[in-house]
């Protein structure tokens, strides 16, 4: 409409197109389905039926669907030619079959043509039927229709067939999950919580960018053959092509009333690149550094991952590895990147690995990881998606085999994103009957979007004091599970659950209890340092006790912190949490606290991490999977709509033996209450102040201060300095009531 149309927002113009399609659907429905009186409706109906015949009856709903998609789910106008070609093929093939079914009428009998496929159907079917007979024309027209559908959905035949096969197996998937109970006696001797991709076919791999062709030999992209330094080495593909077919998603029986969310809610990520000009330029820079320092070594190739690229360097005869590793600063200078990490050697290879961050990073989507073959082939409810390794392979881990995990990283390193990916993996892969969650979020903003999901055993805990009580409940729950295991003669909760489900286990005679399987209990603490600041003794005791014993009871802990210092991650906690995941840390000291070795201080952040599972000697570099807030909200909405959350009322309640106020206070309750009022109101934890204000001796004042420390009012002693007061004045009434045993 002139120049003014160019000033209209594209989204508004698409809304106008959608409204035009809706109006056309209404007009055509009125003229075709309900013949109207009048010259214009009759002429319009006659023209449409002459053109497409019986197809006029399905044209209004097709236009309505088009209008709904334009208004509800607008997309850019890319692929317009492809869609036009697809609809044209469908129209020609479908109307041709309809015309043959109507007896192949000729234009001489126009009324019969209108009752068949119209002129379009006549043009697409008559010539083929006359030349090759009807028996050949119908299959050809059906193939043309199928081709149009494939063009519309933009998928090859093999992916469509695979999707149909996967869809047909969804009903059987639930039985596979139930029959795949973990038999601990049959576990392999060398088992790892880290799962890797199975051996794929060539079709599963992204196309490799190579100088000379070579067959693919494994799932992992391998470097090229040795080449002279000036020549550019070929690079293997950095990962799998994002598959569009629907995964093996388990569906529960309808009597349970719960279905796992569709993985289509999780969007795909970036398409992996096999090679880039920037990586080729780095090869030349590395070769030049080796030449300048007269080192007999050659860069044989590189493997491009989502965040970093690993360049492989092979040494000549009698060349020390230290000659290359000592050049880390020179290499960083040559490639203009301070975050250079050298592996000597690469695990499983006689080569040195130099990991350099990519200038064009790729987004690793959680949906791509959970749709990968390694995730689909593992049906354990505690299997979560980690991300991709340096070689582009999908990384999936089983939390039940860790059996506990410590996650650390500085602010902005990707720690919270990993926690979200882990919780989302649990929601899309397990039911509330299989896994229950306890989420502890002292920061109040990281996990609040999971409030109300049916997997929770208690509302999301934000108070550090309530968190300490909740961890105490976890200890009591663990003891109860062990009592049942010992009473019925089982060593692991999986064996107990299997016996209960099969009906082989019955309650003791005279007992009114109804035996039910124990779900896995996953406790996630998003910020451990806040808990250790308020109630260090109670929190550490509960964590140590659970991590020492809870593996066989099906209880697992994930502790996350952004301050991995020795006063937060104590020696007892580290000794009982064998699996570690470290994102970028601010210093080498923090890296040694988490991983017991340096390396995390050289990570580039934004999900770049080092994963050290139980039993591994060296950490594996991983780019953590990313899940958006919109995807989280979609998954949470789907699981929350299926089942109401049922909380355990005894989680944050104090233990039966916890109200032992008078045992250590004795007859000094009034003095303890007055000391608490003084310390909290003045925000001064000083023993000498209590001596002066309460007029007591040094021994009595010191004992009062120890009582306040055991109740979490003040922190530990710091020599001659006053103790830190951990309770604000607003919480005075609550502390007084707790001290008095209310």
């Amino acid at each position: 409409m002139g120049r003014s149309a160019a000033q209209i927002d594209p989204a508004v113009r698409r809304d106008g197109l959608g409204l035009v399609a809706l109006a056309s659907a209404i007009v055509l429905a009125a003229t075709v389905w309900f013949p109207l009186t009048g010259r214009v409706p009759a002429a319009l109906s006659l023209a449409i039926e002459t053109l497409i015949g019986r197809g006029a009856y399905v044209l209004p709903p097709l236009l309505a669907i088009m209008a709904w998609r334009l208004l509800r789910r607008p997309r850019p106008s890319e692929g317009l030619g492809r869609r036009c070609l697809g609809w044209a093929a469908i129209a020609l093939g479908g109307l041709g079959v309809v015309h043959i079914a109507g007896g192949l009428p000729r234009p001489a009998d126009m009324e019969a043509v209108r009752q068949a496929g119209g002129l379009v159907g006549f043009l697409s079917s008559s010539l083929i039927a006359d030349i090759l007979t009807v028996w050949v024309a119908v299959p050809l027209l059906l193939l043309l229709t199928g081709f149009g559908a494939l063009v519309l959905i933009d998928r090859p035949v093999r992916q469509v067939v695979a999707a149909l096969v996967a869809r047909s197996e969804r009903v059987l998937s639930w039985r596979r999950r139930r029959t795949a109970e973990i038999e601990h006696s049959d576990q392999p001797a060398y088992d790892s919580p880290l799962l890797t991709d199975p051996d794929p076919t060539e079709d599963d791999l992204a196309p490799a960018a190579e100088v000379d062709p070579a067959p693919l030999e494994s799932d992992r992209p391998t470097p090229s053959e040795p080449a002279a330094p000036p020549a550019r080495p070929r690079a293997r593909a950095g990962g799998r092509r994002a598959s569009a077919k629907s995964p093996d998603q388990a569906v529960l029986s309808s009597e349970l009333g719960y279905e796992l969310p569709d993985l289509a809610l999780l969007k795909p990520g970036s398409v992996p690149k096999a090679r880039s000009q920037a990586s080729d330029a780095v090869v030349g820079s590395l070769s030049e550094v080796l030449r300048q320092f007269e080192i007999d070594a050659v860069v044989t190739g590189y493997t491009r991952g989502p965040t970093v690229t690993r360049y492989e360097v092979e040494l000549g005869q009698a060349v020390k590895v230290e000659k290359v590793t000592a050049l880390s600063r020179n290499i960083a200078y040559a490639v203009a990147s301070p975050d250079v990490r050298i592996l000597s050697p690469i695990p499983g290879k006689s080569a040195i690995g130099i990991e350099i961050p990519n200038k064009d990073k790729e987004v690793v989507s959680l949906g791509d990881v959970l749709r990968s073959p390694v995730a689909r082939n593992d049906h354990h409810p505690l299997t979560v998606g980690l991300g991709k390794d340096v070689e582009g392979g999908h990384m999936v881990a089983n939390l039940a085999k860790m059996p506990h995990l410590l996650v650390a990283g500085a602010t902005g390193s990707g720690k919270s994103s990993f926690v979200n990916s882990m919780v989302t993996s649990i929601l899309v892969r397990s039911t509330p009957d299989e896994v229950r969650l306890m989420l502890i979020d002292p920061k109040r903003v990281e996990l609040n979007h999971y409030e109300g999901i049916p997997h929770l055993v208690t509302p999301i805990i934000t108070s550090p004091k309530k968190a300490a009580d909740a961890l105490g409940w976890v200890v009591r729950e663990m003891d109860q599970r062990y009592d049942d295991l010992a009473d019925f003669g089982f060593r692991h909760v999986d064996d107990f659950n299997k016996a209960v489900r099969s009906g082989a286990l019955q309650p003791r005679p005279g007992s009114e209890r109804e035996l039910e399987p124990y779900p896995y209990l996953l406790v996630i603490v998003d910020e451990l340092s806040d808990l250790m600041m308020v109630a260090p003794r109670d929190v550490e005791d509960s964590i140590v006790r659970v991590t020492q014993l809870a593996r066989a009871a099906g209880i697992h802990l994930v502790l996350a912190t952004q301050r991995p210092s020795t006063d937060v991650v104590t020696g007892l906690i580290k000794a009982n949490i064998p699996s570690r995941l470290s994102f970028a840390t601010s210093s080498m000291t923090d890296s040694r606290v988490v991983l017991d070795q340096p390396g995390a201080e050289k990570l580039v952040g934004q999900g770049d991490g080092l994963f050290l599972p139980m039993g591994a000697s060296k950490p594996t570099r991983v780019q953590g999977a990313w899940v958006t807030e919109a995807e989280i909200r979609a998954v949470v909405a789907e699981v929350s709509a299926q089942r109401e959350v049922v909380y355990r009322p005894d989680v944050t309640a104090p233990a039966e033996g916890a109200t032992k106020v008078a045992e250590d206070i004795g007859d000094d309750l009034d003095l303890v209450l007055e000391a608490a009022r003084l310390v909290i109101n003045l925000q001064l934890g000083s023993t000498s102040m209590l001596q002066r204000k309460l007029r007591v001796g040094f021994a009595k004042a010191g004992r009062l201060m120890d009582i306040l420390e055991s109740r979490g009012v003040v922190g530990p002693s710091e020599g001659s300095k006053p103790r830190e007061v951990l309770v604000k004045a607003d919480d005075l009434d609550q502390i007084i009531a707790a001290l008095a045993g209310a």
Side-chain angles (χ1 to χ4, degrees):
M1 304 297 293
R3 296 182 179 179
S4 60
Q7 301 175 0
I8 301 177
D9 184 71
V12 178
R13 289 203 296 267
R14 291 185 63 82
D15 285 346
L17 186 59
L19 294 175
V20 169
L22 181 60
S24 302
I26 295 173
V27 172
L28 290 178
T31 56
V32 176
W33 295 350
F34 311 101
L36 302 179
T37 59
R39 295 181 179 180
V40 175
L44 182 60
S45 176
L46 182 63
I48 295 175
E49 290 181 357
T50 301
L51 184 63
I52 59 175
R54 289 288 183 178
Y57 291 94
V58 299
L59 188 58
L62 290 178
L63 287 173
I65 294 173
M66 182 186 300
W68 179 83
R69 288 186 62 85
L70 289 171
L71 296 172
R72 179 76 175 178
R73 301 172 61 184
R75 293 183 179 179
S77 57
E78 299 176 358
L80 181 60
R82 174 181 57 81
R83 290 195 290 270
C84 292
L85 175 62
W87 282 116
I90 291 176
L92 290 174
L95 293 176
V97 173
V98 171
H99 199 74
I100 292 176
L104 276 174
R106 303 295 172 169
D109 187 2
M110 190 55 67
E111 184 61 30
V113 171
R114 295 190 189 101
Q115 296 300 319
L119 293 178
V120 175
F122 167 74
L123 294 175
S124 64
S125 61
S126 59
L127 182 61
I128 304 177
D130 292 343
I131 297 176
L132 301 175
T133 73
V134 172
W135 302 103
V136 179
V138 171
L140 292 180
L141 291 172
L142 291 176
L143 287 177
L144 180 61
T145 305
F147 169 74
L150 292 176
V151 172
L152 276 182
I153 64 176
D154 196 20
R155 295 290 182 269
V157 175
R158 63 180 181 86
Q159 290 187 358
V160 174
V161 173
L164 294 176
V165 172
R167 183 74 65 177
S168 64
E169 292 181 354
R170 291 180 66 181
V171 178
L172 301 176
S173 181
W174 168 246
R175 290 192 176 184
R176 288 202 301 268
R177 294 189 63 184
R178 284 304 186 193
T179 56
E181 294 283 346
I182 298 178
E183 295 288 348
H184 289 269
S185 59
D186 297 334
Q187 286 294 313
Y190 301 100
D191 200 8
S192 172
L194 182 61
L195 307 177
T196 56
D197 282 338
D199 291 335
T201 61
E202 291 186 6
D203 292 338
D204 292 329
L205 293 173
E210 301 178 347
V211 175
D212 53 335
L216 298 176
E217 298 178 354
S218 66
D219 175 48
R220 305 292 189 188
T222 56
S224 64
E225 296 296 328
R232 291 182 176 180
R234 67 177 187 260
R236 293 289 185 182
R240 296 178 179 271
R241 184 185 293 115
S243 177
K245 63 185 179 182
S246 61
D248 239 356
Q249 187 73 348
V251 177
L252 302 185
S253 58
S254 58
E255 61 185 7
L256 297 178
Y258 191 93
E259 291 186 2
L260 297 179
D262 191 356
L263 285 182
L265 297 174
L266 304 178
K267 306 303 180 184
S270 303
V271 178
K273 297 180 181 179
R275 187 171 185 171
S276 67
Q277 294 182 354
S279 299
D280 291 338
V282 171
V283 172
S285 301
L286 294 177
S287 302
E288 182 64 20
V289 171
L290 297 175
R291 186 191 64 79
Q292 290 175 354
F293 287 89
E294 298 180 352
I295 298 177
D296 184 12
V298 61
V299 182
T300 58
Y302 62 83
T303 305
R304 182 181 169 88
T307 305
V308 299
T309 299
R310 176 187 292 169
Y311 300 86
E312 297 189 8
V313 178
E314 292 187 3
L315 305 180
Q317 295 292 333
V319 178
K320 292 184 178 180
V321 175
E322 290 78 5
K323 286 189 175 182
V324 177
T325 58
L327 299 177
S328 59
R329 292 187 177 181
N330 301 88
I331 293 173
Y333 179 81
V335 300
S337 175
D339 304 311
V340 175
R341 182 169 175 260
I342 299 180
L343 279 72
S344 56
I346 298 174
K349 296 182 180 180
S350 297
I352 297 176
I354 302 177
E355 295 179 352
I356 300 175
N358 298 331
K359 295 183 179 180
D360 48 345
K361 299 180 182 179
E362 302 168 6
V363 177
V364 178
S365 168
L366 178 63
D368 290 342
V369 178
L370 296 182
R371 284 187 287 265
S372 64
V374 61
R376 297 202 308 267
N377 293 335
D378 187 274
H379 302 287
H380 198 283
L382 284 182
T383 298
V384 299
L386 292 182
K388 286 186 177 181
D389 58 13
V390 178
E391 299 176 346
H394 297 99
M395 295 184 64
V396 176
N398 189 342
L399 294 177
K401 296 180 181 180
M402 289 193 181
H404 311 287
L405 177 64
L406 174 63
V407 183
T411 302
S413 61
K415 175 174 57 65
S416 298
S417 298
F418 166 75
V419 173
N420 284 324
S421 297
M422 177 176 57
V423 177
T424 305
S425 299
I426 296 296
L427 296 184
V428 300
R429 289 181 56 91
S430 63
T431 70
D433 298 325
E434 293 174 327
V435 178
R436 302 302 298 270
L437 298 174
M438 176 185 289
L439 304 182
I440 300 176
D441 181 19
K443 292 186 289 188
R444 297 179 175 87
V445 296
E446 296 294 345
L447 303 176
N448 55 359
H449 34 260
Y450 300 108
E451 190 68 68
I453 60 176
H455 296 69
L456 292 177
V457 296
T458 182
I460 296 176
I461 301 172
T462 58
S463 171
K465 294 295 294 182
K466 291 183 179 180
D469 296 336
L471 290 175
W473 174 86
V474 174
V475 175
R476 300 193 297 273
E477 174 73 10
M478 178 190 67
D479 292 337
Q480 178 182 346
R481 294 189 178 194
Y482 271 119
D483 290 341
D484 279 347
L485 294 181
D487 190 20
F488 290 98
F490 292 97
R491 298 185 60 185
H492 197 279
V493 70
D494 286 342
D495 302 325
F496 175 83
N497 291 343
K498 188 176 181 181
V500 172
R501 292 191 185 102
S502 64
L505 200 62
Q506 299 297 330
R508 298 299 183 186
S511 174
E512 298 180 356
R513 177 185 174 187
E514 182 179 352
L515 293 179
E516 295 182 354
Y518 280 116
Y520 289 102
L521 178 60
L522 180 61
V523 182
I524 301 176
V525 180
D526 189 52
E527 189 49 67
L528 178 62
S529 61
D530 287 351
L531 305 187
M532 296 295 290
M533 186 182 302
V534 175
R537 291 187 178 179
D538 295 340
V539 171
E540 183 181 17
D541 292 345
S542 299
I543 289 176
V544 170
R545 182 164 169 77
V546 169
T547 52
Q548 283 178 337
L549 303 174
R551 178 180 186 179
I555 300 176
H556 306 278
L557 266 66
V558 176
L559 306 179
T561 180
Q562 64 182 4
R563 188 165 67 90
S565 55
T566 54
D567 57 336
V568 175
V569 186
T570 62
L572 281 175
I573 293 178
K574 284 184 58 179
N576 293 283
I577 301 182
S579 298
R580 321 280 175 79
L581 175 59
S582 178
F583 295 97
T585 58
S586 56
S587 65
M588 184 185 298
T589 303
D590 292 344
S591 177
R592 292 185 180 276
V593 171
V594 182
L595 301 175
D596 297 323
Q597 56 186 288
E601 75 281 358
K602 294 184 179 180
L603 299 176
V604 298
Q606 297 182 342
D608 187 21
L610 291 174
F611 180 49
L612 185 65
M614 179 181 63
S617 58
K618 286 189 176 182
T620 302
R621 194 161 188 174
V622 55
Q623 173 61 38
W626 168 252
V627 57
T628 64
E629 291 189 9
E631 295 171 354
I632 295 175
R633 287 194 296 268
V635 173
V636 169
E638 185 161 339
V639 300
S640 301
Q642 298 189 55
R643 185 179 296 184
E644 294 290 335
V645 59
V646 179
Y647 296 128
R648 292 283 298 268
D650 57 336
V651 173
T652 56
E656 296 180 359
T659 58
K660 51 180 182 180
V661 176
E663 293 185 10
D664 55 347
I665 294 179
D667 298 330
D668 297 331
L669 179 59
D670 294 337
L671 280 176
V672 172
L673 297 179
E674 186 62 27
R677 292 190 182 94
L678 288 172
V679 169
I680 295 174
N681 287 327
L682 297 176
Q683 290 292 297
L684 179 64
S686 172
T687 304
S688 59
M689 181 271 292
L690 293 182
Q691 286 183 265
R692 296 192 308 271
K693 298 290 186 179
L694 300 179
R695 296 182 180 181
V696 296
F698 178 79
K700 174 71 74 173
R703 181 171 173 271
L704 294 176
M705 195 63 70
D706 290 339
I707 293 175
L708 295 181
E709 180 187 354
S710 65
R711 298 315 192 269
V713 178
V714 296
S717 175
E718 299 181 5
S720 60
K721 295 193 300 183
R723 297 176 183 238
E724 181 183 4
V725 182
L726 304 177
V727 178
K728 303 299 181 183
D730 297 339
D731 300 329
L732 176 61
D733 295 339
Q734 181 181 357
I735 293 298
I736 294 299
L739 290 173

